[in-house]
Amino acid sequence: MLVFLRLALRRLAMLPVMVLGVTLLVFVVLQFSPADPAYNALGDGASEQARQAFAAANGLDDPLPVRYVRFLGDLLHGNLGVTVPPSTPVSDRIATAFPLTLQLTLLGLAIAIVLALALGITGALYRDRWPDQLTRVLSISGVAIPSFWLGIVLIQELALNRSILPTGGYVNPADSVGGWLETMILPAVSLAIPVAAGLARLVRTSMVAELDRDYVRTATGNGLPRSVVIRGVLRNALVTPLTVLGLRVGYLLSGAVVIETIFDLPGMGKLILEGVTGGDVALVQGTVLTIAVVFLAVNVLVDLLVLLVNPRVRTV
């Protein structure tokens, strides 16, 4: 337990360092954006003198390190800036949009985990037989299918042709859980299929490697029930897929940018698109930074889960 606590604290201590690196990367990259904050704030009719006065008043002419330190200071106070007129705090926009993206990501993640375990375990237990071949075909096909294309096909077949589900929109779960599920299931499935397909191959490969180990043969030879053996094998076999799962969360978050646009969901993806098309640097900066920090936090959490479920990886 002491080793686990020491390693867990080490992982947690790295999180602020990684967040600082992300803030630097996001800030520097967006400084090269062609968008002019003075132009966006004052509009077409503003004179050059007014734009220069705006830049001086907001420190836009300061050296890059000075602006970065000021940016960090604003972040520590929860200030992500304001959007272009109509001026609205970026933090307020994110607070409204992020819950939807989080719901979409978690639902897609849950679907991906269930599908990956079902396909991977089936493939391993029926190795080289027809169920294994079938799961292999499904997994390869799933990896090859882009989320946006799958989303368009699902809209065409299940929403437009058969009218089973709506084409898009969003219903708050507080108003109707059934309505929420109807609007979220297609985008969640679109996001989940490629992730599930990739994870299924990892689960299958890890389980096959564990099933070939001596301790499994010994346990089976001693008459241990197959269900107990499989539970033990699964615990060891899930270490690698669990580690990769943290990276797949990043895929789900980034994939939501396109999926939310296709299904007309007012989440972080739509917010980023609005910021990019409107030349709103503060909005893009705030949304990208929020997603990056969540991605880092999830990966640290996954690291802790791996340490918790498998003592073999607790090496100093």
Side-chain angles (χ1 to χ4, degrees):
M1 181 55 72
L2 287 177
V3 174
F4 170 75
L5 290 176
R6 186 166 61 248
L7 293 174
L9 288 175
R10 185 179 297 175
R11 300 285 199 280
L12 291 173
M14 286 299 297
L15 183 59
V17 178
M18 292 187 289
V19 170
L20 187 63
V22 166
T23 61
L24 179 61
L25 179 64
V26 172
F27 178 80
V28 171
V29 169
L30 287 179
Q31 296 312 302
F32 294 98
S33 167
D36 183 356
Y39 175 84
N40 291 330
L42 302 177
D44 297 338
S47 64
E48 184 61 29
Q49 290 77 9
R51 292 176 185 174
Q52 291 177 357
F54 179 88
N58 290 276
L60 301 178
D61 295 331
D62 292 339
L64 195 63
V66 174
R67 281 184 283 156
Y68 176 64
V69 172
R70 187 165 55 237
F71 171 66
L72 288 181
D74 290 340
L75 282 182
L76 290 176
H77 290 87
N79 180 13
L80 295 173
V82 296
T83 63
V84 296
S87 300
T88 306
V90 172
S91 56
D92 289 353
R93 299 292 306 276
I94 292 176
T96 303
F98 185 72
L100 188 151
T101 300
L102 184 62
Q103 294 165 26
L104 178 60
T105 302
L106 292 179
L107 184 59
L109 188 62
I111 294 172
I113 291 174
V114 171
L115 290 177
L117 288 177
L119 292 174
I121 294 173
T122 300
L125 296 181
Y126 294 92
R127 186 179 1 173
D128 296 331
R129 287 185 275 175
W130 72 264
D132 185 25
Q133 303 300 332
L134 178 61
T135 58
R136 182 175 302 177
V137 171
L138 292 176
S139 298
I140 294 174
S141 301
V143 171
I145 295 176
S147 288
F148 72 89
W149 182 84
L150 182 60
I152 294 172
V153 171
L154 290 176
I155 289 176
Q156 182 68 40
E157 290 299 321
L158 298 181
L160 296 179
N161 291 348
R162 304 180 191 279
S163 301
I164 297 176
L165 292 168
T167 57
Y170 175 68
V171 175
N172 194 309
D175 299 328
S176 170
V177 175
W180 172 81
L181 192 58
E182 284 184 352
T183 55
M184 296 291 279
I185 191 66
L186 289 186
V189 168
S190 303
L191 278 175
I193 292 298
V195 176
L199 285 176
R201 299 308 302 161
L202 287 176
V203 172
R204 189 262 183 197
T205 302
S206 297
M207 277 206 70
V208 166
E210 287 295 323
L211 287 170
D212 287 340
R213 293 186 184 277
D214 292 338
Y215 80 90
V216 176
R217 296 194 185 94
T218 302
T220 305
N222 289 334
L224 202 65
R226 184 172 173 79
S227 60
V228 176
V229 175
I230 291 176
R231 278 205 299 272
V233 167
L234 194 58
R235 177 174 176 173
N236 293 331
L238 286 184
V239 173
T240 301
L242 189 59
T243 305
V244 176
L245 185 62
L247 300 176
R248 292 295 188 269
V249 173
Y251 172 85
L252 290 172
L253 285 170
S254 60
V257 173
V258 178
I259 292 299
E260 287 176 1
T261 304
I262 293 175
F263 287 91
D264 193 27
L265 295 173
M268 295 290 280
K270 203 167 184 180
L271 214 57
I272 292 176
L273 185 64
E274 177 186 331
V276 171
T277 55
D280 194 332
V281 175
L283 187 57
V284 175
Q285 190 170 256
T287 49
V288 171
L289 191 58
T290 300
I291 290 176
V293 170
V294 171
F295 174 67
L296 292 176
V298 169
N299 275 274
V300 171
L301 180 61
V302 170
D303 281 349
L304 297 181
L305 286 176
V306 172
L307 288 174
L308 189 64
V309 301
N310 194 333
R312 292 185 303 176
V313 299
R314 299 175 194 173
T315 57
V316 181

